[in-house]
Amino acid sequence: MKECLGEIRRTAIVTGGSRGIGKAVALKLAEDGMNLAISFRGNREAAEETAKQCEAKGAAVLLVQGDVARSEDCEALVSKALEAFGRVDILVNNAGITRDGLLARMSEEDYRAVLEVNLVGPWNMMKATSRVMMKQRYGRIVNMSSVTGLSGNLGQTNYAAAKAGIIGMTKSYAKEVASRGITVNAVAPGFIDTDMTEAMPDSAKDKICQNIPAGRTGKPEDVAAAVHFLVGENAGYITGEVLRVDGGMAM
Ligand code: NAP
């Protein structure tokens, strides 16, 4: 099914769409023939490969380099998307980082860096898209949280603070814009196989797997399917929701 508005195609911004979950989201939205503005931080090669794959599925793609922690980069991303495609219907706030360590040993710099990218970043993007979505009286926003934001996790005080913060922020903004036809939801993935989790030793992964009722780790496509549902035309009455995609891990 094409996500069309008469002759106008829906336009989606996916932050951190060059790799991992963001790439899977971009590829899934490309199947609907959308216009895609894909942001990345530094890995241009990966971003270009993702763009090529999305275009092969029928999407028009704009690649924009920038740091979501910088409000001016977020404003530029939205301006470029508007210039290229004329509207912004969907925002997937996916970009994120980890800088793990036990609190006693974690530097303040690592604590702040994770909050800047993972919590301030999505706020910057929601603010940068707020005017256009309100004017359109249409918007679909999905913010990437994590089961760590629900349950906490050893060595992730910074990441858990950001991902729990995302949930409160999602629900608050959902209340502010529901009457304007804009939905704001969060997705909370469990353990998903991407570069972010690649570095973990196999023994730690095996231990995590034992606590996943589904008996396996997740794939980026598992998360992309949930995002695709929430940004679809048919999900217009779902807002302020947190959808776990974790094989039952945080049940
Ligand atoms: P990933 O493979 O490490 O990819 C991260 C993406 O974010 C890349 O596209 C990267 O761009 C981009 N990025 C990083 N910092 C950025 C910044 N400051 N500004 C703009 N883009 C930036 O990560 P992932 O595993 O796919 O995770 C995606 C999201 O899901 C994150 O929010 C993460 O916290 C969340 N999540 C992941 C898991 C998991 O198990 N993997 C679980 C729960 C939640 P470059 O390619 O240019 O570096």
Side-chain angles (χ1 to χ4, degrees):
M1 186 193 73
K2 295 253 185 273
E3 296 276 2
C4 286
L5 188 70
E7 290 303 303
I8 303 165
R9 302 208 288 188
R10 292 285 187 212
T11 296
I13 295 178
V14 182
T15 67
S18 50
R19 297 183 283 120
I21 293 170
K23 175 179 183 174
V25 168
L27 284 167
K28 188 73 193 162
L29 300 184
E31 287 172 12
D32 291 338
M34 289 192 192
N35 300 317
L36 294 174
I38 297 174
S39 95
F40 65 103
R41 172 80 195 269
N43 196 333
R44 180 168 289 278
E45 206 179 313
E48 282 174 356
E49 177 55 32
T50 300
K52 209 159 48 165
Q53 291 178 22
C54 289
E55 281 163 355
K57 285 176 181 281
V61 181
L62 173 74
L63 282 182
V64 184
Q65 183 165 15
D67 180 351
V68 292
R70 292 164 52 96
S71 58
E72 55 272 39
D73 287 11
C74 294
E75 281 154 22
L77 170 56
V78 175
S79 297
K80 285 176 184 168
L82 280 172
E83 211 174 285
F85 304 125
R87 40 189 305 125
V88 174
D89 303 286
I90 293 164
L91 168 64
V92 182
N93 268 320
N94 165 80
I97 57 167
T98 50
R99 289 211 189 159
D100 297 351
L102 297 175
L103 182 142
R105 284 190 229 137
M106 185 182 287
S107 66
E108 185 182 331
E109 189 197 343
D110 282 350
Y111 183 77
R112 289 187 185 276
V114 168
L115 284 173
E116 286 289 336
V117 175
N118 296 9
L119 186 58
V120 178
W123 186 87
N124 284 339
M125 286 303 302
M126 293 200 300
K127 192 160 169 71
T129 53
S130 61
R131 192 179 301 195
V132 61
M133 284 188 180
M134 283 193 209
K135 208 166 143 205
Q136 290 168 178
R137 301 194 75 83
Y138 184 91
R140 296 274 189 273
I141 300 172
V142 171
N143 295 321
M144 206 55 74
S145 179
S146 165
V147 292
T148 295
L150 299 168
S151 317
N153 196 24
L154 200 108
Q156 291 198 308
T157 49
N158 49 2
Y159 189 78
K163 295 302 186 180
I166 286 256
I167 293 172
M169 185 171 74
T170 295
K171 292 181 180 183
S172 301
Y173 194 43
K175 286 184 178 178
E176 290 182 16
V177 293
S179 64
R180 310 289 190 108
I182 302 168
T183 67
V184 193
N185 292 290
V187 166
F191 190 98
I192 311 297
D193 297 320
T194 67
D195 293 345
M196 190 178 266
T197 47
E198 175 70 27
M200 259 188 162
D202 283 345
S203 55
K205 284 189 198 170
D206 288 347
K207 209 167 159 198
I208 288 170
C209 234
Q210 285 165 16
N211 291 318
I212 302 175
R216 68 167 177 90
T217 53
K219 297 183 184 63
E221 293 74 20
D222 292 320
V223 184
V227 173
H228 182 248
F229 166 66
L230 288 171
V231 303
E233 307 285 333
N234 295 334
Y237 204 55
I238 301 173
T239 196
E241 189 54 84
V242 182
L243 181 54
R244 282 188 298 108
V245 183
D246 66 349
M249 189 180 172
M251 209 166 12

